Amino acid sequence: PPRASLRLEDDSPRLNGASLAAAAAATRVNAWTEWGTLREVVVGDAHNAHFPPRSPALRPAINREGGQCFLEPDGSVVEAEGIGALLERSVGWPAGRKAQRTIDAANQQLDNLAAVLRRRGIAVRRPSGGVDWSAPIKTPFFDAPNQYCATCPRDIVATIGNVVLEASMSRRDRYFEVYQYRDMIREIWRADPAMLWKAAPKPSCADRMYNSEWWDLRTEERYAQMRNYSFCITNEEPIFDAADIMRCGKDIFVQLSMTANAAGIEWLARELAPSGVRVHTLRFPYDLAPSHLDCTFVPLRPGLVLTNPERPIAEEDAATFAAAGWRFLDAPQPTNPSRPWASQSSKWLSMNVLSLSPRVVVAEEQEVALHRLLEAEGFEVVKVPFRAVYEFGGSLHCATWDLARDDCCEDFFP
Ligand code: NVA
């Protein structure tokens, strides 16, 4: 649907209303920041989701303390507690399709998010389909027994200004995930003559692209290697997942991680330089398995980042923010730190929020401590249930991909 109205209801003092309106009117696809007023967004879905297979980029493990969310026949989502240890003893890491009641619970909460956003006047698209997640992959370089799901578009595609950029991806089972959005991307591209459609070079995902010993390192050995930022992917081929990117206008921040290597960040820097965008590497030296930035470092509005108290940023990377007068706001410990037994994410999904504007943030409904913190900072917090989505790869930021925000290529780091 077209963006009929471009009212600038969030006139933060650092935003220039005239330039915002001009930028938004000129292109349909437009998102330069994590916080500009949201106009159009994609919300993922959990249909036919499969368990991610073990691969050189992921060694999935059962969370022993975890429970599981189910959709009951009466339409309610219940959370069975503490079944992880039992499953670990009886089946180990499973293969194949996830349980239908678990898929239904996730889809109910994803559908609810879509409805909440639509009620606020935001256009919402859902994945257009086409990929059978049960299908194995065979390329000249690797095999994968099955694929995953389309719950987390944030991981695989990013909007940077008027560019829709398909990430290279680090995991074999996610190699073709973007095809779940290809009909949608093509349709938007046809409708918006200003949109640029780009894809990063697909890596081989061959064995040589991975450092398989990394998974077997003991924690002390990982600490010893910490300063090398050496993870399970090597630096031979440019690699990045889109969720390692955070946009702050003219400046893009990318986490060096087990899903984005230095070559991938270099590729982004060269690709974006002609449009005047500066790409910065972010490092979090105490995160021994970093992957995706949105449980670690979440810009909320000009001058403010929600940070993870257990993952402090490297001093040299913090300097960029300090010099421009930005403030880091540590997220509180999660109110509900438990994760479903099949979740491969951390308890910090609690801080994986979606900004609707510089003043409005969507957060998981149980994360009361975070709500209080954000409300004290002047945000309106929209609370939605989302724990049933956690085992499908993420929370509210992961499960969305913004196509249009009211913002522009503004310099927040002059
Ligand atoms: N891998 C990160 C981000 C997940 C969305 C974490 O688990 O904290």
Side-chain angles (χ1 to χ4, degrees):
R3 280 171 300 149
S5 103
L6 288 168
R7 281 182 300 112
L8 299 171
E9 52 191 30
D10 298 295
D11 53 343
S12 157
R14 296 212 40 192
L15 299 176
N16 172 334
S19 56
L20 280 178
T27 62
R28 187 162 186 279
V29 169
N30 181 83
W32 289 98
T33 67
E34 299 299 321
W35 61 75
T37 298
L38 187 61
R39 300 296 179 189
E40 184 160 358
V41 71
V42 179
V43 174
D45 72 45
H47 295 303
N48 199 28
H50 278 58
F51 288 102
R54 182 178 159 122
S55 70
L58 181 72
R59 290 253 181 111
I62 287 180
N63 166 28
R64 304 187 83 248
E65 316 304 318
Q68 186 159 23
C69 294
F70 296 110
L71 187 70
E72 293 289 25
D74 68 0
S76 57
V77 172
V78 295
E79 197 166 343
E81 286 178 9
I83 57 176
L86 181 69
L87 285 165
E88 189 181 49
R89 277 199 303 277
S90 56
V91 292
W93 185 253
R97 195 175 192 276
K98 288 175 181 272
Q100 189 60 46
R101 288 168 69 204
T102 307
I103 291 175
D104 290 344
N107 274 334
Q108 192 206 61
Q109 296 191 343
L110 288 155
D111 292 351
N112 177 63
L113 172 67
V116 167
L117 297 176
R118 284 188 178 120
R119 278 201 296 276
R120 289 186 158 251
I122 297 163
V124 178
R125 292 175 183 262
R126 309 302 298 277
S128 38
V131 182
D132 173 3
W133 307 117
S134 72
I137 299 177
K138 182 162 179 56
T139 80
F141 306 109
F142 72 87
D143 296 355
N146 62 261
Q147 303 177 59
Y148 186 41
C149 60
T151 311
C152 292
R154 183 75 60 184
D155 298 354
I156 61 165
V157 61
T159 305
I160 300 175
N162 65 334
V163 177
V164 166
L165 174 62
E166 297 176 9
S168 62
M169 301 311 290
S170 56
R171 256 167 59 185
R172 292 173 172 175
D173 59 308
R174 307 192 75 181
Y175 201 79
F176 292 109
E177 198 171 305
V178 73
Y179 283 85
Q180 196 75 351
Y181 306 88
R182 273 285 176 87
D183 289 351
M184 176 194 298
I185 297 173
R186 233 182 0 251
E187 183 185 308
I188 298 166
W189 182 78
R190 284 199 191 106
D192 177 2
M195 173 190 145
L196 299 180
W197 179 7
K198 300 194 180 195
K202 272 300 202 191
S204 68
C205 290
D207 285 347
R208 67 173 182 276
M209 201 181 96
Y210 300 99
N211 172 13
S212 53
E213 309 84 67
W214 182 82
W215 291 99
D216 299 318
L217 294 177
R218 286 170 297 134
T219 302
E220 314 82 75
E221 291 169 329
R222 287 196 189 175
Y223 269 112
Q225 290 200 8
M226 194 163 77
R227 287 282 166 189
N228 299 332
Y229 299 98
S230 152
F231 306 113
C232 55
I233 52 173
T234 65
N235 200 36
E236 293 303 312
E237 302 183 49
I239 302 164
F240 66 94
D241 285 4
D244 278 303
I245 298 172
M246 284 289 175
R247 298 151 303 170
C248 296
K250 197 175 170 55
D251 293 86
I252 306 283
F253 297 90
V254 192
Q255 174 179 228
L256 190 57
S257 70
M258 52 191 266
T259 43
N261 61 11
I265 300 173
E266 173 67 18
W267 184 88
L268 278 164
R270 289 194 209 173
E271 198 67 24
L272 295 171
S275 52
V277 172
R278 299 175 291 225
V279 173
H280 309 259
T281 303
L282 292 188
R283 285 154 286 214
F284 297 87
Y286 296 94
D287 187 349
L288 295 181
S291 149
H292 303 171
L293 194 44
D294 44 8
C295 287
T296 301
F297 196 82
V298 182
L300 292 175
R301 66 183 178 216
L304 187 67
V305 184
L306 186 64
T307 45
N308 183 320
E310 294 178 359
R311 299 174 185 168
I313 189 172
E315 262 176 47
E316 59 271 36
D317 300 338
T320 311
F321 293 86
W326 282 60
R327 184 159 60 93
F328 293 161
L329 177 67
D330 269 349
Q333 285 293 324
T335 304
N336 185 348
S338 71
R339 301 168 297 133
W341 68 269
S343 170
Q344 300 305 299
S345 304
S346 71
K347 65 180 180 182
W348 293 106
L349 286 177
S350 61
M351 61 181 283
N352 191 273
V353 297
L354 173 69
S355 289
L356 302 191
S357 80
R359 292 179 184 164
V360 183
V361 173
V362 189
E364 212 290 324
E365 68 175 7
Q366 293 191 25
E367 293 306 321
V368 177
L370 180 69
H371 305 163
R372 290 202 187 108
L373 180 80
L374 294 176
E375 281 162 1
E377 289 286 335
F379 290 96
E380 177 196 346
V381 181
V382 180
K383 294 132 190 160
V384 296
F386 220 63
R387 290 181 53 78
V389 184
Y390 282 11
E391 77 157 79
F392 295 78
S395 189
L396 292 146
H397 192 262
C398 304
T400 51
W401 155 36
D402 31 308
L403 286 166
R405 291 183 179 272
D406 288 350
D407 57 16
C408 61
C409 187
E410 191 167 343
D411 188 352
F412 298 101
F413 297 87

